[in-house]
Amino acid sequence: MKIKQFEDKGLAHYAYAILSERAKEVVLIDPARDPQPYYDYAKEHDAKIVGVIETHPHADFVSSHLEIHQKTGATIYTHSLVGADYPHQAFDEGAVLEFGDIKLKSLHTPGHSPDSISIVLEHEGKDKAVFTGDTLFIGDVGRPDLRESAGNVTAKREELARQMYKSTREKLMKLADDVVVYPAHGAGSLCGKGLSDANTSTIGDEKKGNYALQEMSEDAFVKVLTEDQPFIPKYFGYDVGLNKQGAPDYKPSLEGVKKLEKNYTPEESAVIVDARSESTFKKGHYKGAINIQNGGKFETWLGSIVGPNEHYYLVGESDEQLNELISKASKIGYELLIKGAFVYDKQDGESSDKFDKLTFEANKEDYTIVDIRNTSEVKSGKFFDNAINIPLPELRERVKEIPTDKPVVVHCAGGYRSAAGSSIVEAALPNVKVLDMSEAVTELKQK
């Protein structure tokens, strides 16, 4: 028996392949959008993919379960509460999937969502591992506030938090201490608030070290779980729906994105996502373009700034980068929203003013400072006492709240988000000087 963990660092997502060497069969759990790594793994072990288990309809990434089913004939298993639109077999509490010498047993563990399940792996008569989806993480549990308006079954965050209390205490914590915990996400995911960098743990270690599994009343648990959760990206509800339906096949969907000629001119007022570097963007870009730089979290910020009801143009520095960006967008189903993708290599059009650190430091009161960090970040300390806080995911909707009587300086924590934020403010307030503090914030922040 072998367990293979697949990691997508951009979305801090873990998928799994469970191999029965006796039967030469593989069952996948929570696969990512690109199915090829799972096909390669099965081929490497001369095995057949016979099952795909979805622990719940994911909000933060698009799964390839339907494509894998259509390609391999593998049965898809998920909880009946999902109301899945794709061919599937219900895998409710007590259901067992046997292949070779492995038993996979379903536990209904609502809390992150009403339809969440955890999968206990039994081998040689003993529980060896549990695949917890977004219910139990390493150092945390799944947030309970994502299913208030998405999915087949919705529930208020307090109700889900109470369900999480019972799921952890009455089911997961009753497993043996040496059972290995395999979660669907790690540090950096927005599906929880304090995930560990570790990629596995044990039930015993989580009972000792996970704040959410410590002895406390149900009311105390609800309070601690519902406070200070990170923001909810715009795309989360869209992905829940897409996963409930089943996404289109990966490669054909990428190939379906319209490639336009170099330096194409979009129509006026179009949404343009320019993923070139901040320095290149500031030298010349289309009016109104949003500078979401290509980087480790591009797809998260794309889906946090641009809503699933919008269609957009995608701009890159080269054909190679465009292909990479389209692939990243597809992880959240946003390749379906691209009106056209093209390379831009001019330095004409709109340019951005440069931030002068010394001038700002000597005359801070002459500027309106906009802090685009998340509310929870600002709660732990402001960099500048007089700064206005508008989190980046809300900036396009709230930009008119910014006073226009002084030059505007935009900052985040390290410079990546401020490139996007300053481009949004610059487009919305054309008669105001807008400056991006970028990485200079680390030198200027108040102690």
Side-chain angles (χ1 to χ4, degrees):
M1 188 267 293
K2 289 182 177 176
I3 297 170
K4 168 75 172 177
Q5 184 182 65
F6 298 82
E7 181 181 11
D8 177 346
K9 290 186 183 297
L11 292 172
H13 164 231
Y14 299 125
Y16 299 92
I18 304 163
L19 169 69
S20 167
E21 294 173 288
R22 178 185 296 178
K24 294 288 187 182
E25 291 178 338
V26 171
V27 171
L28 304 173
I29 297 179
D30 295 333
R33 182 71 190 278
D34 180 1
Q36 193 58 48
Y38 316 117
Y39 299 154
D40 293 344
Y41 180 79
K43 185 177 180 182
E44 178 189 339
H45 292 90
D46 191 27
K48 177 177 173 58
I49 299 172
V50 296
V52 182
I53 302 176
E54 288 289 289
T55 58
H56 63 292
H58 304 281
D60 62 314
F61 73 94
V62 173
S63 172
S64 56
H65 52 272
L66 178 57
E67 180 175 359
I68 293 168
H69 159 73
Q70 292 170 334
K71 171 89 172 178
T72 68
T75 301
I76 307 173
Y77 301 87
T78 194
H79 199 280
S80 58
L81 285 176
V82 171
D85 300 324
Y86 48 80
H88 67 283
Q89 185 169 317
F91 205 54
D92 295 355
E93 175 85 23
V96 177
L97 169 60
E98 295 189 51
F99 62 112
D101 50 350
I102 298 170
K103 280 186 183 178
L104 297 178
K105 303 177 290 188
S106 174
L107 292 178
H108 183 212
T109 51
H112 173 69
S113 66
D115 41 32
S116 288
I117 54 175
S118 296
I119 313 301
V120 179
L121 185 154
E122 179 187 316
H123 186 241
E124 297 176 341
K126 185 181 178 187
D127 291 343
K128 296 291 182 74
V130 58
F131 300 87
T132 53
D134 286 10
T135 301
L136 177 62
F137 297 130
I138 312 306
D140 200 359
V141 291
R143 62 190 297 179
D145 57 346
L146 299 183
R147 290 292 293 275
E148 294 186 310
S149 58
N152 189 54
V153 179
T154 59
K156 295 297 182 187
R157 66 189 67 191
E158 182 177 315
E159 178 189 343
L160 283 171
R162 292 188 185 283
Q163 291 178 5
M164 181 68 82
Y165 184 81
K166 293 179 174 65
S167 292
T168 50
R169 270 83 183 154
E170 297 174 8
K171 295 183 181 179
L172 294 174
M173 291 173 70
K174 289 189 174 179
L175 296 171
D177 282 354
D178 62 352
V179 169
V180 180
V181 175
Y182 290 106
H185 290 98
S189 169
L190 290 169
C191 290
K193 59 182 176 180
L195 284 68
S196 166
D197 288 331
N199 59 354
T200 63
S201 183
T202 63
I203 291 292
D205 285 345
E206 289 310 295
K207 280 157 70 172
K208 289 176 191 170
N210 189 320
Y211 79 92
L213 304 192
Q214 303 313 300
E215 190 173 333
M216 68 183 89
S217 69
E218 185 175 315
D219 286 342
F221 179 88
V222 170
K223 183 177 186 300
V224 74
L225 189 57
T226 53
E227 64 186 9
D228 296 333
Q229 286 289 354
F231 70 95
I232 301 174
K234 292 180 172 71
Y235 78 92
F236 269 21
Y238 168 77
D239 274 17
V240 169
L242 196 51
N243 282 316
K244 177 181 175 294
Q245 172 188 325
D249 289 0
Y250 176 67
K251 282 190 177 176
S253 198
L254 296 188
E255 290 163 1
V257 174
K258 189 175 182 181
K259 295 285 187 66
L260 303 169
E261 68 269 17
K262 185 185 288 188
N263 302 321
Y264 175 85
T265 304
E267 67 275 15
E268 196 174 337
S269 78
V271 178
I272 304 169
V273 173
D274 190 327
R276 296 175 301 151
S277 70
E278 169 246 346
S279 58
T280 302
F281 176 88
K282 283 181 168 51
K283 289 174 185 172
H285 55 265
Y286 282 124
K287 185 177 181 180
I290 305 170
N291 186 205
I292 309 176
Q293 299 174 88
N294 186 24
K297 294 291 182 183
F298 170 79
E299 50 269 51
T300 296
W301 288 111
L302 172 65
S304 300
I305 295 169
V306 177
N309 58 332
E310 299 181 284
H311 287 77
Y312 64 97
Y313 289 95
L314 185 59
V315 179
E317 295 179 356
S318 65
D319 288 322
E320 292 75 21
Q321 188 187 69
L322 268 188
N323 290 332
E324 179 187 356
L325 293 166
I326 293 167
S327 177
K328 286 181 176 182
S330 75
K331 293 183 194 177
I332 63 169
Y334 266 43
E335 87 285 4
L336 301 171
L337 308 180
I338 299 174
K339 293 182 80 170
F342 62 94
V343 172
Y344 187 81
D345 63 1
K346 291 183 178 180
Q347 288 189 6
D348 57 3
E350 304 287 314
S351 60
S352 304
D353 291 307
K354 288 186 177 180
F355 174 75
D356 186 289
K357 183 173 64 175
L358 295 177
T359 303
F360 171 79
E361 199 165 17
N363 306 280
K364 289 191 184 78
E365 67 283 352
D366 293 340
Y367 298 86
T368 296
I369 305 171
V370 180
D371 182 345
I372 61 168
R373 294 178 300 153
N374 302 326
T375 305
S376 57
E377 293 175 274
V378 176
K379 194 174 179 181
S380 63
K382 274 188 160 189
F383 291 174
F384 306 98
D385 290 335
N386 60 337
I388 300 168
N389 176 225
I390 305 177
L392 178 56
E394 303 170 22
L395 189 58
R396 289 175 70 204
E397 293 75 25
R398 296 179 55 195
V399 68
K400 296 298 185 182
E401 295 176 22
I402 300 171
T404 57
D405 57 331
K406 299 177 184 177
V408 174
V409 173
V410 178
H411 85 80
C412 58
Y416 177 84
R417 285 175 287 177
S418 65
S422 60
S423 67
I424 291 168
V425 177
E426 183 181 281
L429 307 178
N431 299 318
V432 181
K433 190 173 187 178
V434 178
L435 303 163
D436 175 8
M437 195 177 292
S438 193
E439 68 275 3
V441 68
T442 57
E443 303 167 34
L444 289 167
K445 63 184 178 181
Q446 296 175 341
K447 304 300 181 189

